[in-house]
């Protein structure tokens, strides 16, 4: 695999096809390997849209996104999907076993590696309790596991692929505060060389982030660490207070 995955947005503007106003305006930031970049902002601010541009679900209308210094459009779909694990806001499991769901994007992963990914994702316990364990069946859409379990299985799937860029879209908000904290602590080791971008609802999820981007109506209105933003950003103070 190429490039440690520095993700760089350079003056990115994006509007959905057919829409009048852009959803993202002039977005610039760098997410470095070994660091966590958090994105916070109210519903509809454009957080999911921003993340979705990275694996090229859509292409920027203006500006450029680079990974490891290479423009996305020169990287190729295969390289992009091998290097990026994205946990979507509504994570999806398909009909099959737990193992086959986890091996999506990590065909070679051994059972030991799958268990390790489950351990980090705080999903080891409930998988161990299921009859058949890794071979237990998941129904289409994952309707036979709870929402929080589905979310953790999708986090385990992302980890099993061992990418150099992780995108977590609101992946921790369905977890209780305790599990959220444990999971993020466990993530530190396996993601230590990766660029991690986290969209969060809860401020407590991201207080330790290396940089926080405050997104409002498609614009970055403030950026900094938690401590810096508490001093400089009214929008951030409002989010903290809410
Ligand atoms: N939008 C759109 N077409 C889509 C998806 C979104 O027109 N296929 C619009 C709806 C919002 C804006 O884009 O006005 C931003 O949507 P996002 O899903 O990116 O917003 P967030 O992820 O920030 O919102 P939430 O916190 O609710 O997930
Ligand atoms: Mg969203």
């Amino acid at each position: 695999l190429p490039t440690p995955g520095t993700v760089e947005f350079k003056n990115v503007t994006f509007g959905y096809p057919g829409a009048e106003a852009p959803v993202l305006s002039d977005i610039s930031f760098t997410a470095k390997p070994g660091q966590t970049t958090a994105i916070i902002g109210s519903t509809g601010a454009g957080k999911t849209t921003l993340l979705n541009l990275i694996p090229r679900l859509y292409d920027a209308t203006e500006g450029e996104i680079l990974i490891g210094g290479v423009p996305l459009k020169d990287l190729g779909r295969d390289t992009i999907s091998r290097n990026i694990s994205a946990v979507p806001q509504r994570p999806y499991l398909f009909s099959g076993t737990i193992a086959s769901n986890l091996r999506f994007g990590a065909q070679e992963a051994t059972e030991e590696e799958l268990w390790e990914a489950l351990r980090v994702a705080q999903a080891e316990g409930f998988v161990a309790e299921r009859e058949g364990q890794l071979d237990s069946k998941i129904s289409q859409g994952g309707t036979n596991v709870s929402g929080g379990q589905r979310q953790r299985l999708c986090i385990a799937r992302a980890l099993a692929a061992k990418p150099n860029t992780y995108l977590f879209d609101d992946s921790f908000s369905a977890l209780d505060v305790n599990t959220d904290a444990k999971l993020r602590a466990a993530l530190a080791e396996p993601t230590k060389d990766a660029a991690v971008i986290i969209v969060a609802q809860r401020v407590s999820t991201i207080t330790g982030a290396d940089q926080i981007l405050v997104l409002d109506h498609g614009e970055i209105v403030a950026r900094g660490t938690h401590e810096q933003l508490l001093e400089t950003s009214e929008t951030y103070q409002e989010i903290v207070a809410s």
Side-chain angles (χ1 to χ4, degrees):
L1 298 184
T3 63
T6 298
V7 178
E8 191 176 1
F9 275 57
K10 281 186 173 171
N11 308 103
V12 170
T13 292
F14 173 77
Y16 283 99
E20 272 172 36
V23 168
L24 296 171
S25 302
D26 200 26
I27 301 290
S28 296
F29 69 92
T30 303
K32 293 187 184 142
Q35 294 200 347
T36 297
T37 297
I39 303 169
I40 198 157
S42 54
T43 179
K47 305 180 296 295
T48 296
T49 305
L50 189 160
L51 284 192
N52 284 347
L53 294 178
I54 301 171
R56 290 192 71 189
L57 270 63
Y58 302 97
D59 282 327
T61 318
E62 287 171 49
E64 197 171 37
I65 301 169
L66 306 100
I67 298 189
V70 182
L72 272 186
K73 58 183 183 312
D74 297 338
L75 274 173
R77 301 270 169 194
D78 259 23
T79 310
I80 290 173
S81 62
R82 273 187 289 122
N83 280 275
I84 299 175
S85 279
V87 181
Q89 194 164 12
R90 283 175 209 81
Y92 192 78
L93 296 172
F94 49 83
S95 143
T97 62
I98 288 188
S100 66
N101 269 280
L102 296 180
R103 284 203 176 98
F104 183 83
Q107 282 88 340
E108 322 281 82
T110 63
E111 293 209 346
E112 201 182 341
E113 287 171 321
L114 298 185
W115 281 113
E116 175 58 18
L118 289 167
R119 189 188 62 73
V120 173
Q122 311 298 306
E124 185 185 29
F126 76 79
V127 173
E129 280 168 18
R130 285 172 76 93
E131 200 180 318
Q133 300 192 336
L134 286 175
D135 293 325
S136 79
K137 292 268 186 259
I138 297 288
S139 55
Q140 185 71 26
T143 47
N144 61 341
V145 294
S146 77
Q149 291 174 339
R150 191 152 65 228
Q151 208 155 23
R152 281 176 280 163
L153 288 174
C154 288
I155 292 168
R157 171 198 282 163
L159 287 160
K162 300 191 170 134
N164 55 31
T165 304
Y166 287 90
L167 310 177
F168 294 108
D169 193 350
D170 208 9
S171 305
F172 310 105
S173 52
L175 310 173
D176 63 78
V177 176
N178 227 335
T179 310
D180 177 5
K182 269 200 221 158
L183 203 162
R184 283 178 298 100
L187 275 177
E189 168 60 27
T191 66
K192 69 181 189 316
D193 298 320
V196 178
I197 305 182
I198 296 183
V199 166
Q201 296 280 341
R202 262 201 300 258
V203 170
S204 68
T205 306
I206 55 154
T207 46
D210 298 285
Q211 68 171 333
I212 301 169
L213 312 175
V214 183
L215 202 63
D216 190 22
H217 293 93
E219 290 179 42
I220 297 176
V221 295
R223 70 180 78 207
T225 62
H226 174 69
E227 287 72 22
Q228 288 164 345
L229 287 169
L230 280 178
E231 302 220 330
T232 58
S233 170
E234 267 182 46
T235 314
Y236 192 73
Q237 290 160 7
E238 282 164 21
I239 294 168
V240 172
S242 67

PDB file of all heavy atoms in Angstrom, residues 47-48 89 169, ligand 2:
ATOM      1  N   LYS A  47     -21.432  17.424   7.813  1.00  0.00           N
ATOM      2  CA  LYS A  47     -20.389  16.530   8.330  1.00  0.00           C
ATOM      3  C   LYS A  47     -20.292  15.236   7.529  1.00  0.00           C
ATOM      4  O   LYS A  47     -19.208  14.811   7.128  1.00  0.00           O
ATOM      5  CB  LYS A  47     -20.655  16.219   9.818  1.00  0.00           C
ATOM      6  CG  LYS A  47     -20.798  17.466  10.677  1.00  0.00           C
ATOM      7  CD  LYS A  47     -21.061  17.133  12.131  1.00  0.00           C
ATOM      8  CE  LYS A  47     -22.373  16.402  12.410  1.00  0.00           C
ATOM      9  NZ  LYS A  47     -23.576  17.206  12.095  1.00  0.00           N
ATOM     10  N   THR A  48     -21.425  14.584   7.311  1.00  0.00           N
ATOM     11  CA  THR A  48     -21.427  13.325   6.550  1.00  0.00           C
ATOM     12  C   THR A  48     -20.982  13.576   5.115  1.00  0.00           C
ATOM     13  O   THR A  48     -20.206  12.801   4.545  1.00  0.00           O
ATOM     14  CB  THR A  48     -22.838  12.696   6.587  1.00  0.00           C
ATOM     15  OG1 THR A  48     -23.134  12.350   7.940  1.00  0.00           O
ATOM     16  CG2 THR A  48     -22.922  11.446   5.716  1.00  0.00           C
ATOM     17  N   GLN A  89     -22.661   6.507   9.103  1.00  0.00           N
ATOM     18  CA  GLN A  89     -23.566   6.927  10.176  1.00  0.00           C
ATOM     19  C   GLN A  89     -24.627   5.870  10.443  1.00  0.00           C
ATOM     20  O   GLN A  89     -25.015   5.659  11.578  1.00  0.00           O
ATOM     21  CB  GLN A  89     -24.207   8.262   9.780  1.00  0.00           C
ATOM     22  CG  GLN A  89     -24.900   8.972  10.917  1.00  0.00           C
ATOM     23  CD  GLN A  89     -25.179  10.438  10.577  1.00  0.00           C
ATOM     24  OE1 GLN A  89     -25.047  10.848   9.419  1.00  0.00           O
ATOM     25  NE2 GLN A  89     -25.566  11.208  11.564  1.00  0.00           N
ATOM     26  N   ASP A 169     -18.243   8.101  11.263  1.00  0.00           N
ATOM     27  CA  ASP A 169     -19.341   9.072  11.181  1.00  0.00           C
ATOM     28  C   ASP A 169     -20.317   8.835  12.319  1.00  0.00           C
ATOM     29  O   ASP A 169     -21.198   7.979  12.221  1.00  0.00           O
ATOM     30  CB  ASP A 169     -20.048   8.976   9.824  1.00  0.00           C
ATOM     31  CG  ASP A 169     -20.981  10.174   9.601  1.00  0.00           C
ATOM     32  OD1 ASP A 169     -21.215  10.949  10.559  1.00  0.00           O
ATOM     33  OD2 ASP A 169     -21.469  10.324   8.460  1.00  0.00           O
TER      34      ASP A 169
HETATM   35 MG1  LIG B   2     -24.410  13.051   9.232  1.00  0.00          MG
END
